[in-house]
């Protein structure tokens, strides 16, 4: 008997029929002798409908109240799924995030999970029930409802799996696994049977939408075995593994990219200690996540140029903050660009294989793609390029690194 | 400075525009120096939409899960109203039933309020905030979400007003007060400026839909001044008063009626002690509320006939229970009738004025209306008649007791 946590996203529970299909699947897993905890998102379209209502009233809805509003989306799903299970003779109980004490900080709309009280869930599992939990939501120490931000249901599922010491956390989506890159951009993209945790972390952080980054971080931190699979088919999906030796032949696991990028540059800042903190401190205080950061000696003596990227949704606010600070910092000019994307090569094999970066730059150069920023880590290389080169760049790299060939990982 | 609890029903918050109108009204009350707590229902249509979803999955939805589902309705409203208040510069905070610890028993879909922890609400009021609370819902000792059944938002409002020792509890509806009878049945019906608590209790229990019966009970028990008024106009509504002397001239305050009635009769039960309990015990155990009860000596010696009324929604189940018990009870036959209604005269003046009952029966006889059951209390007389006589009976009685004349209460 295994303890399985399954997470179903909005598309997988997007209609009564889809919810009933999920109930059938959960029932099969339980009948095979497993204990099952199900974490669900709001029915697809519901969150947008609720945000639409809120925006009719306030262009920037109160964060606390937006969480009260949005958390109803998953609450509807847990009730309907529990009914569908009961209708199949499969005893089930639903819980909101607050009811199972998914304790978070108080950053509304973007809260982070701190702790989960798994006692009540354990008692239900012992009693033979399926437990259905609302993803994406929690409760802070004041008892206020919080949400984790879009995609947060993945994080909920992994955190619950960690708290329950589950044998596997299965993330059901509308794709059948993790691909070498997005098949909509490169039709020759190939599904991976396995990917290492570190690679998955990079893929997620770099914009591969299959899994939410915090979910992967949680899975790594608590060593939760994670599997991505389709709620529409029966495949084995992609297992996110902690054993690197199984994939030792691989140089590159995949190509991630992100359209959700914007670039800000502050030119001619006097080059003194603490200037980076002065620039980014206020950005961080506004809860804007900064991704790539580059600092260069500027043309003008004793000054420096400073560039960083943020998500496009934060671009306008970041620009406002920077422009307001420019004078105090003694900066010459603030520039911004929303028409950029990031393309990244990811693979643990990079550690032992030289020449990957140069082959990447050569490939892009051959296609006439100008690189605007570069950033590297041990297992990934990211470049920022103009938005119009996204598809061309991804396809050229996919081909150059032979990712359509079944040689990087066993499959 | 007064502390006012205002309750707005589904129609009053039925659209974004209506919610904004409520916010305007709440803001005006607050600007006049009052502390305001607002209790709201789900947007009209929302509860039906949710029940519709549930019924697609289960013809009789799991009661526990139905409460989880339905409670999202008010949760949407509290969030949107709090945003609308914030947008008007009026600080507000929303709370679900669970968040303000509206503790109920565990009878899902029909729970009763046991206790309210008003501490958090008090702190917000002290801080100058409007508090917006989800009506109709609570939480049981296990932490499970409960609902009070349809119309329960009135009860929530009164219970909250009692817990906060509010100066007045205002129930905003789509009518401008309590009428002598339903104006849709008798166009000459007249709005009352005042009605006694006891009369209102009878009116509500007898099917006058303006206020929910439990709300009136609560108001009486905790001496909460209650006012019914329209959320669409500016009138003073109807005050439910505890002073009877102000209405001493009145004989009859109004005529209530209920279409939600069904009648069950068990014939030829052996007449022995405890038989009434044997018949009704199981009905009560099934959480079916019994209204009128009549027991008569039967034609056959040493047996008794037993008739009672229930709500139509409970009719089939009550009939099943009775038929299953008939043999054990030694009864001859079980009969049922769903085509009946109840018409009631209500007024504290009945206490000191004789002849009201006989005038009622005479009026109905003159119209050829056959009375099927009669039940009386100190301040009301109810008759059960065939459904087709409802309008005729109400109009004849309204006229016979001069209720269209402004003489019963000051107005």
């Amino acid at each position: 008997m295994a303890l399985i946590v399954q997470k179903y996203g909005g598309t997988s529970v997007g209609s009564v029929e889809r919810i009933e299909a999920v109930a059938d699947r959960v029932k099969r897993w339980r009948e095979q002798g497993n204990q099952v905890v199900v974490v669900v998102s709001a029915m697809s379209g519901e969150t947008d409908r609720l945000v639409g209502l809120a925006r009719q009233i306030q262009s920037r809805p109160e964060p606390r109240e937006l969480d009260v509003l949005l958390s109803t989306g998953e609450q509807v799903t847990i009730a309907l799924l529990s009914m569908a299970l009961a209708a199949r003779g499969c005893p089930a109980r639903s819980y909101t995030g607050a009811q199972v004490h998914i304790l978070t900080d108080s950053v509304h709309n973007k809260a982070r999970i701190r702790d989960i009280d798994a006692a009540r869930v354990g008692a239900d599992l012992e009693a033979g029930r399926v437990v259905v939990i609302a993803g994406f939501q929690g409760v802070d120490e004041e008892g206020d409802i919080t949400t984790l931000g879009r995609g947060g249901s993945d994080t909920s599922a992994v955190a619950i799996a960690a708290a329950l010491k589950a044998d596997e956390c299965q993330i059901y989506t509308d794709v059948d696994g993790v691909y070498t890159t997005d098949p909509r951009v490169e039709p020759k993209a190939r599904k991976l049977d396995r990917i290492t945790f570190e690679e998955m972390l990079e893929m997620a952080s770099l914009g591969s939408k299959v899994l939410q980054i915090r979910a992967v971080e949680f899975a790594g931190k608590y060593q939760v075995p994670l599997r991505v699979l389709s709620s529409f088919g029966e495949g084995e999906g992609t297992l996110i593994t902690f054993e690197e030796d199984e994939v030792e032949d691989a140089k590159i696991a995949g190509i991630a990219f992100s359209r959700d990028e914007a670039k800000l540059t502050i030119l001619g800042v006097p080059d003194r200690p603490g200037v980076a903190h002065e620039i980014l401190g206020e950005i961080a205080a506004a809860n804007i996540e900064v991704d790539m950061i580059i600092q260069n000696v500027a043309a003008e003596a004793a000054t420096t140029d400073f560039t960083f990227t943020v998500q496009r949704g934060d671009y306008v606010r970041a620009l406002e903050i920077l422009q307001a600070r420019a004078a105090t910092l003694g900066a010459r000019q603030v520039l911004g660009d929303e028409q950029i994307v990031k393309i990244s090569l990811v693979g643990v094999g990079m550690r032992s294989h030289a020449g990957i970066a140069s082959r990447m730059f050569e490939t892009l150069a051959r296609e006439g793609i100008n690189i605007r920023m570069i950033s590297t880590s041990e297992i990934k290389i990211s470049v920022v390029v103009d938005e119009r080169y996204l598809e061309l760049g991804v396809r050229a790299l996919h081909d150059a690194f032979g990712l359509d060939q079944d040689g990087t990982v066993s499959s």
Side-chain angles (χ1 to χ4, degrees), chain A:
Chain A
M1 189 180 72
L3 170 51
I4 309 287
V5 174
Q6 300 187 329
K7 181 259 167 176
Y8 295 91
T11 318
S12 307
V13 294
S15 66
V16 165
E17 293 68 34
R18 293 296 312 147
I19 288 172
E20 301 203 308
V22 167
D24 289 335
R25 186 182 294 266
V26 170
K27 195 186 177 212
R28 280 202 302 279
W29 278 90
R30 184 167 166 274
E31 282 171 353
Q32 286 159 18
N34 301 291
Q35 294 184 320
V36 187
V37 174
V38 188
V39 178
V40 290
S41 302
M43 295 169 75
S44 56
E46 183 63 6
T47 303
D48 289 339
R49 183 183 76 88
L50 293 169
V51 169
L53 280 173
R55 293 236 170 104
Q56 282 181 56
I57 290 173
Q58 270 192 309
S59 54
R60 283 189 189 181
E62 294 292 302
R64 180 187 185 278
E65 302 305 332
L66 189 60
D67 281 352
V68 172
L69 183 70
L70 295 186
S71 63
T72 64
E74 297 80 38
Q75 193 169 326
V76 166
T77 317
I78 57 172
L80 295 178
L81 179 56
S82 299
M83 289 174 193
L85 286 164
R88 283 159 179 73
C90 184
R93 248 186 214 172
S94 75
Y95 293 104
T96 63
Q99 284 178 317
V100 285
H101 298 112
I102 298 183
L103 184 71
T104 72
D105 60 26
S106 299
V107 184
H108 286 289
N109 313 159
K110 279 186 177 183
R112 282 172 183 268
I113 295 176
R114 281 187 182 160
D115 195 21
I116 291 180
D117 173 11
R120 192 162 182 182
V121 176
D124 280 319
L125 292 174
E126 286 305 310
R129 295 188 196 101
V130 170
V131 175
V132 182
I133 302 176
F136 171 75
Q137 58 182 251
V139 65
D140 72 4
E141 276 175 356
E142 299 291 306
D144 284 340
I145 295 167
T146 55
T147 70
L148 312 181
R150 293 233 168 178
S153 293
D154 289 352
T155 313
S156 302
V158 174
I160 288 162
L164 293 170
K165 300 187 181 18
D167 296 289
E168 192 165 290
C169 181
Q170 302 176 338
I171 309 287
Y172 287 87
T173 69
D174 49 0
V175 298
D176 60 356
V178 180
Y179 275 71
T180 49
T181 195
D182 187 337
R184 284 168 301 188
V185 167
E186 169 53 278
K188 285 187 274 180
R190 192 171 44 79
K191 185 185 80 83
L192 300 165
D193 289 340
R194 286 162 180 269
I195 186 170
T196 71
F197 158 73
E198 281 177 291
E199 287 167 342
M200 191 63 223
L201 193 59
E202 291 286 4
M203 292 290 272
S205 72
L206 297 171
S208 173
K209 293 291 192 301
V210 180
L211 274 176
Q212 211 225 4
I213 172 93
R214 274 190 227 159
V216 183
E217 284 171 357
F218 249 94
K221 187 169 171 192
Y222 296 101
Q223 300 271 309
V224 176
L226 205 57
R227 188 181 289 278
V228 176
L229 57 186
S230 166
S231 63
F232 297 87
E234 293 298 330
E236 292 285 304
T238 299
L239 179 69
I240 292 132
T241 173
F242 297 94
E243 287 108 52
E244 285 189 17
D245 50 338
E246 293 185 24
V247 288
E248 67 181 321
D249 281 347
K251 290 189 182 72
I252 302 297
I255 301 170
F257 57 84
S258 165
R259 287 187 175 90
D260 188 14
E261 302 284 333
K263 189 161 74 87
L264 296 111
T265 301
I266 183 158
L267 294 173
V269 186
D271 195 6
R272 61 174 187 272
V275 72
H277 173 71
E278 276 178 63
I279 294 169
L280 292 180
E282 219 170 324
I283 300 283
N287 258 302
I288 296 172
E289 277 180 46
V290 171
D291 178 21
M292 288 165 79
I293 303 172
I294 288 172
Q295 188 179 345
N296 249 341
V297 174
E300 212 174 314
T303 69
T304 185
D305 296 342
F306 198 91
T307 301
F308 59 93
T309 60
V310 298
Q311 292 178 5
R312 283 190 194 169
D314 292 327
Y315 174 69
V316 173
R317 211 147 44 100
L319 197 62
E320 284 167 7
I321 292 171
L322 223 55
Q323 280 163 340
R325 293 286 294 160
T328 357
L329 286 164
R332 207 175 65 237
Q333 197 180 356
V334 174
L335 300 172
D337 190 348
E338 279 187 286
Q339 309 289 307
I340 58 154
V341 295
K342 183 169 63 172
I343 302 176
S344 310
L345 288 187
V346 176
V348 291
M350 276 188 206
R351 285 185 185 135
S352 47
H353 295 268
I356 289 185
S358 67
R359 205 201 307 177
M360 182 184 193
F361 303 152
E362 182 197 350
T363 304
L364 295 173
R366 203 187 314 129
E367 302 291 340
I369 300 171
N370 192 26
I371 298 171
R372 312 283 296 271
M373 289 171 86
I374 298 172
S375 155
T376 62
S377 80
E378 224 188 339
I379 66 159
K380 74 118 216 278
I381 307 168
S382 297
V383 296
V384 166
V385 300
D386 287 351
E387 188 168 26
R388 65 183 183 279
Y389 293 130
L390 174 67
E391 289 79 7
L392 178 64
V394 168
R395 285 179 205 143
L397 291 168
H398 201 269
D399 188 54
F401 287 93
L403 290 178
D404 54 335
Q405 315 295 324
D406 184 4
T408 45
V409 290
S410 57
S411 74

